Amino acid sequence: MNKILTGMLLTATTLWAHAIWAQPTFDGEKALAHIVSQVSFGPREPDNPAAKQQTISYIEQTLAPLTNRLTIQRFDYKGLSGANLWASIKGTSSTSSVRIMLGAHWDTRPQADRDHSPALRDRPIAGANDGASGVAALLELARVFAISPPPVTLDLVFFDLEDMGHIDDLPYSIGAREFVAKNPFYRPSAGIILDMVCAKTLSIPREQYSQSQAGELMDTIWSIAKQQNSTVFKDSPGIRIIDDHLPFLMAGIKVVDLIHYPFPDHWHTSADTVDKCSSDSLQQVGDVVQQFIASYKP
Ligand SMILES: [Zn+2]
């Protein structure tokens, strides 16, 4: 009897200590659920303003209880209306004036121009991977850091109109360019863009603009990935990719791009759907980014 009672007390004490001390961890399943939600709104592209508004509301409502501040920066570009969202989680230590940015594009490509079927090439993509996955990872990281705030201040930025490139002669990364231009005093110490991070076949080599202009930051990320035995991070050179990190690098801000390359078969096709995503891939990326932020030394 006594033994049983002692055992129960010990279990209760352990559970209590666990509840107090356990660090929250990134949950790939929760991130995957954020992808399912976004895809359910429909393509998040200029001809679908209802889906765009639903996505903005979803990001706002998810982040409202988790972040200290959330603003929407609207802009116009060649007849298109865009909206970047910016939320922050304040750091807790003497280094809280140091800021790190995590970014992802929340829009999706209005044309599946790489589809095998010509009939589908002018239709919008679902963007489970290309669009929703980066946003999903950021929303899940916000949950983790709301419970256990990071030492440095974390900015979560969601860019609109990334994926219009080569459509009507438009460029890529319209939203990220607007963000850099409209916020000249925003100069984070480091930043990471997450783009296409959910595929079952995920492979993230060292994107070359990031490597040549922010090599130390890349080394830190890849050493964390190595410690964690990550299989999705590949310690090999990728190619140069035009993405939302470029406007920052051009302004001298060290922001790197974690992006799937070689691009998956479903890239810019009607097959970019939730079934291509894996919670394990999201988990591996989330774990590395979480540790990068939690252990960041300015
Ligand atoms: Zn794309």
Side-chain angles (χ1 to χ4, degrees), residues 105 109 125 130 162-163 172 195-196 267-268:
H105 74 89
R109 191 159 180 84
I125 68 165
D130 195 356
E162 185 275 339
D163 224 335
Y172 284 101
D195 194 0
M196 299 201 285
W267 177 62
H268 291 183

Side-chain angles (χ1 to χ4, degrees), residues 39-164:
V39 170
S40 76
F41 304 144
R44 283 81 70 207
E45 50 100 10
D47 285 343
N48 200 357
K52 292 194 70 171
Q53 187 48 54
Q54 271 183 295
T55 309
I56 291 172
S57 300
Y58 181 77
I59 294 172
E60 274 188 301
Q61 284 162 17
T62 304
L63 293 180
L66 306 176
T67 56
N68 304 110
R69 187 187 75 100
L70 191 146
T71 55
I72 301 184
Q73 298 187 338
R74 296 189 185 274
F75 60 90
D76 295 307
Y77 184 87
K78 295 193 175 175
L80 298 170
S81 300
N84 294 327
L85 283 75
W86 180 3
S88 305
I89 296 176
K90 200 168 173 354
T92 51
S93 74
S94 57
T95 53
S96 66
S97 61
V98 174
R99 308 188 82 102
I100 294 184
M101 183 188 80
L102 294 180
H105 74 89
W106 67 269
D107 66 308
T108 54
R109 191 159 180 84
Q111 294 179 3
D113 41 5
R114 296 185 58 92
D115 207 279
H116 300 297
S117 163
L120 295 175
R121 285 180 197 155
D122 60 356
R123 305 270 290 276
I125 68 165
N129 190 16
D130 195 356
S133 71
V135 171
L138 263 57
L139 295 178
E140 173 55 5
L141 284 160
R143 183 190 69 82
V144 167
F145 285 115
I147 299 168
S148 178
V152 293
T153 293
L154 180 60
D155 294 300
L156 304 163
V157 187
F158 302 84
F159 302 109
D160 199 356
L161 299 178
E162 185 275 339
D163 224 335
M164 303 299 293

Side-chain angles (χ1 to χ4, degrees), residues 200-212:
K200 290 171 179 165
T201 55
L202 181 58
S203 148
I204 307 175
R206 292 173 179 253
E207 189 277 326
Q208 280 304 294
Y209 286 120
S210 310
Q211 187 62 41
S212 62

Side-chain angles (χ1 to χ4, degrees), residues 171-218:
Y172 284 101
S173 298
I174 296 169
R177 285 196 218 193
E178 286 286 329
F179 184 82
V180 171
K182 297 270 171 64
N183 301 288
F185 301 108
Y186 180 60
R187 289 292 180 268
S189 300
I192 299 176
I193 301 292
L194 298 178
D195 194 0
M196 299 201 285
V197 290
C198 76
K200 290 171 179 165
T201 55
L202 181 58
S203 148
I204 307 175
R206 292 173 179 253
E207 189 277 326
Q208 280 304 294
Y209 286 120
S210 310
Q211 187 62 41
S212 62
Q213 294 183 57
E216 272 184 39
L217 186 49
M218 294 290 273

